[in-house]
Amino acid sequence: MSLRSFIVGHFRKPRGLVGRVAGFVMATRGSNRARNAWTVELLDIGAADRVLELGPGPGLALEAVLARAPKGHVVGVDHSALMVAQAGRRNRAALAQGRLALVCGDVAKLEGVAGPFDKAMALNVLMFLAPAERRALFERLRRLMAPGGRVAITYQPRHKNATAEDARKFAATIAAEMAAAGFAAPRTEELPLKPLPAVCVIATTPRG
C-alpha cells in the first residue's frame, strides 16, 4: 500500500492517530469550512427542521445546522467512532440537550435511523460508496424524508490528478441516481474553491 493510499483510507474512515490528524484537517482546512457553510446555506434550514447528515466527520456542518435550527432535531450518522466522538465534543451542548443525536453506523444502510427529516446532506462522502450502494442509499433516504424535504449532496474532488470536470461528472451521476430513486427536480450548484470547485446536487421529495 502506498503512503497516499494509507492516508486516503484514513479520510474515508478515520481511526487512530492518523485519523485524528485527518479530523483536524477536515475541521480546519479553509476549503472544507467553506464547503460546509455553503451546503448548509443551500439547504435553507428552518428553526424547527429535523435534519440528517451522512458522514458528519468532526461536526462542522452539524454545528452550523444546530445554530439555524434551535427548535429542531439533528441526527448525524458516521461509520467512524473517532469522528462520532469529535462531532460530539464540538457539539456537546446540543448533545446534552437532546437536540443532537449521533449514530455510529453504516452510512449506506442508515439502520436504526428514523424519519421523517425535512433536510438531509452529505459532504464528500458518497464518492466512497459503490454505485449499487448509492442507489440503495437514495431509496432508503427518500423514504426517510418528509414530503417536500430537501437533500444536498456536495462533492469537491481530492484525488490525484483531479479536475473540475471530475466534479461536474460526479454531480451528473448523483443527479441521475437521485432522480431514479424518486427525488424530484435535481439541480447542481457550483462553488469556486481552490484547488478545485465544489458541486452540490440539490433535490426534493415529492409532496404527494
Side-chain angles (χ1 to χ4, degrees), residues 10-192:
H10 281 79
F11 276 89
R12 177 172 184 164
K13 188 175 183 179
R15 55 199 180 278
L17 180 59
V18 178
R20 292 178 187 277
V21 174
F24 176 79
V25 171
M26 286 188 272
T28 58
R29 180 184 280 168
S31 61
N32 285 17
R33 298 181 69 87
R35 192 175 65 225
N36 277 264
W38 175 63
T39 303
V40 172
E41 183 177 349
L42 288 173
L43 276 176
D44 191 24
I45 305 292
D49 275 353
R50 285 178 51 85
V51 184
L52 171 67
E53 183 175 9
L54 312 180
L60 284 178
L62 292 177
E63 184 178 33
V65 169
L66 287 161
R68 290 172 178 249
K71 299 179 181 180
H73 185 69
V74 182
V75 177
V77 181
D78 203 299
H79 65 178
S80 165
L82 177 59
M83 289 299 95
V84 168
Q86 287 194 9
R89 285 195 294 272
R90 179 177 295 277
N91 298 286
R92 59 171 60 88
L95 200 61
Q97 294 162 3
R99 296 173 51 219
L100 170 65
L102 294 171
V103 178
C104 187
D106 190 336
V107 169
K109 296 180 180 178
L110 295 179
E111 294 172 339
V113 177
F117 293 99
D118 304 293
K119 309 288 168 56
M121 60 184 170
L123 294 88
N124 266 33
V125 171
L126 298 197
M127 73 281 196
F128 292 123
L129 302 182
E133 291 179 306
R134 290 199 304 267
R135 288 192 291 269
L137 169 61
F138 286 135
E139 291 282 355
R140 170 70 171 148
L141 187 57
R142 180 180 54 79
R143 294 193 293 271
L144 286 173
M145 300 302 295
R150 182 180 299 183
V151 178
I153 307 297
T154 297
Y155 172 60
Q156 183 186 18
R158 292 293 190 189
H159 59 275
K160 188 176 181 180
N161 300 323
T163 67
E165 188 58 24
D166 290 332
R168 294 167 190 142
K169 286 181 178 178
F170 189 75
T173 297
I174 291 297
E177 291 174 350
M178 295 185 79
F183 286 93
R187 74 177 198 273
T188 301
E189 301 284 343
E190 187 170 314
L191 178 68

